[in-house]
Amino acid sequence: GRLDRTLEIHLEGSASLVACDGVVFGRLARGECLAAGLYAETIKVWRNGRPILFDRTEIDGPVHQWLAGASTGRGHRASGMILIASADPGPLLSRIREALKQEHGLSGASLVRGLVHVRMLASDDFELRRMMTCALEVARSGRALPRNWSC
């Protein structure tokens, strides 16, 4: 498969945002191994017309080899991203980092010009969903996630 996508977000004033996305590279239960392909994703975020985040991920070629690398995927097959713009992101960043320590996958969270940027690697889609749910519940101050997350 070949996927090249771009997400652009324009925030004005003190607008807040919670955005998330995940991708699973092959179905584990079916033993799928992505021997060749392209996965490219660009994320651009602006606030008041000024760029605050530019993030590009690109895997071109043997996807399974890239995912197996010690400095890339460490054998994980699912990747997730969460972006959070809020009035006071510092304490939120700390709480998300602490919550994700309890999860089995790999994760990292950074504060980029007032935007919390969370990246996750998981062994499969179920683990990724647990990690994303954990971080999103923190971002929503413990409020339940929208109903479509329970499907």
Side-chain angles (χ1 to χ4, degrees), residues 15 28 30 45 58 95 120 124 127 132:
L28 189 60
R30 295 207 175 215
V45 182
E58 184 172 329
R95 291 194 315 268
M120 296 157 278
D124 59 30
E127 185 175 80
M132 293 180 90

Side-chain angles (χ1 to χ4, degrees), residues 7-58:
L7 171 65
E8 295 189 26
I9 299 169
H10 297 266
L11 301 169
E12 295 295 329
S14 61
S16 61
L17 164 79
V18 177
C20 67
D21 184 48
V23 63
V24 179
F25 298 98
R27 294 173 290 185
L28 189 60
R30 295 207 175 215
E32 292 177 346
C33 182
L34 303 177
L38 169 74
Y39 171 74
E41 179 178 63
T42 304
I43 302 169
K44 300 175 183 178
V45 182
W46 287 268
R47 183 175 292 279
N48 299 322
R50 301 181 72 142
I52 59 173
L53 178 72
F54 179 91
D55 184 69
R56 172 95 175 146
T57 301
E58 184 172 329

